[in-house]
Amino acid sequence: MLLEALADNQVKFIVVGAYAAIMQGSTLRTDDLDLCYERTSDNYKKIVRALTPFKPRLRDIPEHLKAPFDAQSLAQGTNFTLTTDLGNLDLLAELSGVGGYKEIAADAKAIKIGSVVCQVASLDTIIRSKEAADRPKDRLTLPELKALKLIQQREREGRDR
Amino acid sequence: MTRETEEALRQLIDNPPAGSAIAEAKKFGVDLYSIVENLKLTPTERFRRAAAETDFVRRIRENIKKGDS
């Protein structure tokens, strides 16, 4: 539903992180949906319009310190870890080792989820970002992601034969 | 995925080329057969399944929190 709301409002976003890998066959599990968004004032307004019905608020921040979720806040920050009525959502301006929306879009794939066609980060991009982030939880995912890439290649070859 | 492709992938997992990403992942303990099963699903099915699991875990956490308070 979040993806539909974002698409309905013509938000420019790319699914990144574990969900991007899952859409492509990974068995990774995650608590949140990670999206990279285009940093333009027009897109900030669209993001706010799309997400407001789901009551987005900053995650793990004391209630009295919470800033409003509006276009101005988006313009002033970069990465936002949110919770919504539909679950956790991370809005990211950039991915480590890859760059921002434009760089990720360069080899993103269009994948249909339900009625929505989403831009989804390529496995190469996900692998590069996990290698660059290099946190223990990122390192744990790399063997699977690299194997998935090879299995996908073989599967495609089988399909094309 | 055709049965032939699935069989070829299973053989690749059973006997991966030495030093390949598949061999490394196997050594690491990744269940590569689950990837083959996932590739039989559509992206929508993969997404919905993951979302349902995420939601299930979220509801359990909420219930634990409620129980603590």
Side-chain angles (χ1 to χ4, degrees):
Chain A
M1 254 168 103
L2 278 176
L3 294 179
E4 284 164 10
L6 292 163
D8 286 348
N9 283 278
Q10 292 162 344
V11 172
K12 289 196 172 170
F13 70 96
I14 304 169
V15 181
V16 297
Y19 261 103
I22 288 165
M23 288 176 186
Q24 296 173 74
S26 166
T27 66
L28 295 182
R29 289 296 169 256
T30 180
D31 283 349
D32 41 48
L33 177 64
D34 296 340
L35 304 177
C36 178
Y37 62 100
E38 187 187 54
R39 288 187 59 76
T40 63
S41 55
D42 183 47
N43 207 37
Y44 302 148
K45 289 178 200 154
K46 289 175 178 173
I47 291 170
V48 171
R49 201 181 312 138
L51 296 183
T52 296
F54 308 109
K55 302 192 184 82
R57 57 263 182 208
L58 290 171
R59 208 156 71 222
D60 305 325
I61 301 273
E63 206 58 49
H64 67 283
L65 293 177
K66 284 185 181 174
F69 183 75
D70 56 20
Q72 197 185 343
S73 303
L74 285 175
Q76 287 171 345
T78 48
N79 296 343
F80 300 86
T81 55
L82 305 172
T83 190
T84 75
D85 288 351
L86 297 179
N88 292 339
L89 172 69
D90 291 355
L91 293 178
L92 310 171
E94 350 190 284
L95 286 186
S96 308
V98 181
Y101 179 87
K102 197 173 151 194
E103 288 76 26
I104 299 166
D107 70 343
K109 301 168 72 170
I111 294 183
K112 196 172 178 204
I113 301 295
S115 59
V116 178
V117 177
C118 299
Q119 291 299 306
V120 178
S122 70
L123 281 179
D124 282 332
T125 291
I126 302 167
I127 290 168
R128 239 182 319 143
S129 72
K130 300 271 180 201
E131 283 175 337
D134 201 31
R135 298 166 299 183
K137 70 172 189 174
D138 297 307
R139 288 197 290 270
L140 284 174
T141 65
L142 285 168
E144 178 183 325
L145 292 172
K146 289 177 180 178
L148 170 61
K149 196 180 146 192
L150 190 54
I151 290 172
Q152 265 193 354
Q153 278 168 4
R154 294 295 178 92
E155 196 244 342
R156 267 196 299 270
E157 287 164 12
R159 221 186 306 150
D160 294 344
R161 221 172 280 140
Chain B
M1 184 187 297
T2 63
R3 191 170 288 183
E4 290 76 19
T5 301
E6 181 179 352
E7 189 49 41
L9 291 177
R10 286 183 180 276
Q11 279 177 19
L12 177 68
I13 292 168
D14 289 339
N15 303 294
S20 68
I22 293 175
E24 293 304 307
K26 261 184 95 168
K27 235 190 280 174
F28 197 72
V30 176
D31 177 7
L32 296 167
Y33 300 108
S34 292
I35 291 180
V36 176
E37 291 304 313
N38 277 353
L39 290 176
K40 292 183 198 168
L41 305 174
T42 66
T44 302
E45 288 168 333
R46 294 174 203 147
F47 183 87
R48 288 195 176 139
R49 199 168 66 170
E53 286 173 8
T54 303
D55 190 49
F56 179 66
V57 172
R58 185 168 66 108
R59 277 187 283 126
I60 288 175
R61 284 195 181 134
E62 280 171 5
N63 283 339
I64 291 171
K65 257 191 203 167
K66 274 182 208 162
D68 286 346
S69 59

